[in-house]
């Protein structure tokens, strides 16, 4: 199997780098300064235990790849970029006939729960991946992961449900590449559990680390709204203790020598000044469901709106005074 990593940022770069380092056939898809750095100097993958420079093949887009029947597409872009990426790849021809959308599996290794439905409109074979992989991408050509001895935990399963041989084969490759990779028939239950954890991303992105009141109180309120919405919608999700038990002691967060201390994916989007942020698909997912099922979601609605404003205006992460953030979200 060849793995084509569509979006070689923090998550995609870590997955692709680890797969390549363990001997698997990998192609990274990256553009701009990051793509140039990868082509010129290789992927520099920094971990708590080592620093690797990996000469992984790199392309800018689907027109540079001759797709094969054994290819696996790993979608690792932010959700706001999913439609463009899926449209670009789904219609590409595959060796011996057909298109990628007709014959190749696509794995959605992304936060949020909307990507799989987007993919299913374009691809017959869609797989969800619940990503627990603390990683950062702040400098072109460099990806840092912060857990050891394993790099992350990636639950895999078919969408909308079940498992197949692709899940099992990919899981075997990931487990040989320093990941936990449980194959589960209910992968979306894991992704909804991760969604609740990601609701605090917008707080961290604007106010800084969520370690003490009032930020921890706001994170709790956002999660409580999310849990209430999922209950009203009848959507199952994994509780925090089940997620922690799955990780066990094999994913210990440790410092990485020489790496800049950073925050989560939303924080990193503001740090890189991308002009967009995934909050519409995290807090915004809860807002959407709340409106459908008549559950008030004022905290998530304000977090969604203000985080989007931060991204559009190019404000740096953590620049909103904590007191101002707390006051804006006061009951």
């Amino acid at each position: 199997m060849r793995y084509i990593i569509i979006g070689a940022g923090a998550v995609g770069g870590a997955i692709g780098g680890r797969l390549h380092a363990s001997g698997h056939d990998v192609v990274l898809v990256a553009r701009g300064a990051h793509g140039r750095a990868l082509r010129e100097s290789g992927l520099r993958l920094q971990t708590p235990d080592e620093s690797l420079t990996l000469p992984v093949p790199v392309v800018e887009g689907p027109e540079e790849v001759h797709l094969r029947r054994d290819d696996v597409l790993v979608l690792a872009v932010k959700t706001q970029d999913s439609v463009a990426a899926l449209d670009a790849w789904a219609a590409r021809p595959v060796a011996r006939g057909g298109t990628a959308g007709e014959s190749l599996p696509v794995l959605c290794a992304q936060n949020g729960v909307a990507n799989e439905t987007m993919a299913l409109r374009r691809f017959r074979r869609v797989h969800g991946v619940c990503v627990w992989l603390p990683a950062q991408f702040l400098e072109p050509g460099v990806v840092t992961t912060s857990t050891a001895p394993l790099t992350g935990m990636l639950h895999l399963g078919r969408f909308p449900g079940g498992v197949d041989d692709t899940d099992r084969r990919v899981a075997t490759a990931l487990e040989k590449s320093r990941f936990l990779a449980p194959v589960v028939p209910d992968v979306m239950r894991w992704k909804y559990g991760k969604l609740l954890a990601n609701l605090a991303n917008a707080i961290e992105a604007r106010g800084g680390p969520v370690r003490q009141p009032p930020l921890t109180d706001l994170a709790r309120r956002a999660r409580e709204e999310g849990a209430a919405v999922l209950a009203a919608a009848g959507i199952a999700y994994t509780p925090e203790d089940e997620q922690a038990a799955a990780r066990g002691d094999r994913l210990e967060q440790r410092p990485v020598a020489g790496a800049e201390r950073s925050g989560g994916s939303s924080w990193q989007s503001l740090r890189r000044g991308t002009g967009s942020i995934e909050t519409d698909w995290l807090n915004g997912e809860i807002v959407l469901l709340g409106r459908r099922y008549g559950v008030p979601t004022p905290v998530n609605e304000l977090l969604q709106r203000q985080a989007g404003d931060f991204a559009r205006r190019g404000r740096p992460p953590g620049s909103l005074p904590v007191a101002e953030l707390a006051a804006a979200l006061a009951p």
Side-chain angles (χ1 to χ4, degrees), residues 228-243:
V229 162
L230 296 186
I235 296 173
Y237 62 90
T238 52
E240 292 178 281
D241 58 351
E242 186 175 355
Q243 298 173 48

Side-chain angles (χ1 to χ4, degrees), residues 56-69:
V56 191
V58 182
V59 300
E60 286 196 0
E63 63 281 353
E64 297 180 31
V65 182
H66 296 288
L67 292 176
R68 311 184 320 213
R69 307 297 292 187

Side-chain angles (χ1 to χ4, degrees), residues 164-185:
D164 65 12
D165 188 55
T166 295
D167 294 309
R168 289 183 282 269
R169 293 178 66 191
V170 172
T172 297
L174 290 170
E175 288 170 352
K176 292 179 178 178
S177 306
R178 301 197 186 184
F179 291 98
L180 283 175
V183 175
V184 295

